[in-house]
Amino acid sequence: ELLPTPAKSHYTFNLRDIWKVFQGICSIKAKKISDPLVVMRCHCHENIRVYGDRLTNDADRKWLRGKLEEGLRDSFMID
């Protein structure tokens, strides 16, 4: 849904971006993970850091947050 256009030519995402998300999640120290919620929060943070920082308007940022919330709700039954 976030296809590149002339005004948003930087909306090109690739496997390197996914790698950055997983690298951020894997950088959590095991001692700091006392609750699965910490990992889920880190997952959302990394996605917003990698993908959200490229988004240029509030509608696209809202779309990303909605997708993250939907994923958490569907996969982990968390609001």
Side-chain angles (χ1 to χ4, degrees):
E1 294 179 27
L2 296 177
L3 298 174
T5 63
K8 301 175 183 179
S9 60
H10 56 283
Y11 278 24
T12 304
F13 305 104
N14 58 38
L15 289 175
R16 189 175 303 135
D17 299 320
I18 296 170
W19 169 248
K20 289 177 187 175
V21 171
F22 283 107
Q23 188 176 24
I25 294 169
C26 291
S27 69
I28 302 174
K29 303 289 184 215
K31 291 180 182 178
K32 293 187 178 189
I33 303 174
S34 58
D35 186 18
L37 186 61
V38 173
V39 179
M40 290 179 231
R41 288 179 60 199
C42 181
H43 176 264
C44 289
H45 169 77
E46 291 300 324
N47 274 288
I48 291 170
R49 183 183 66 81
V50 171
Y51 298 110
D53 286 353
R54 288 195 199 171
L55 304 179
T56 57
N57 59 37
D58 290 334
D60 291 346
R61 285 192 225 46
K62 186 176 179 180
W63 177 87
L64 176 64
R65 283 196 173 269
K67 287 296 182 181
L68 289 171
E69 289 172 6
E70 180 184 319
L72 288 175
R73 193 173 38 255
D74 293 348
S75 299
F76 302 106
M77 285 70 154
I78 293 178
D79 288 329

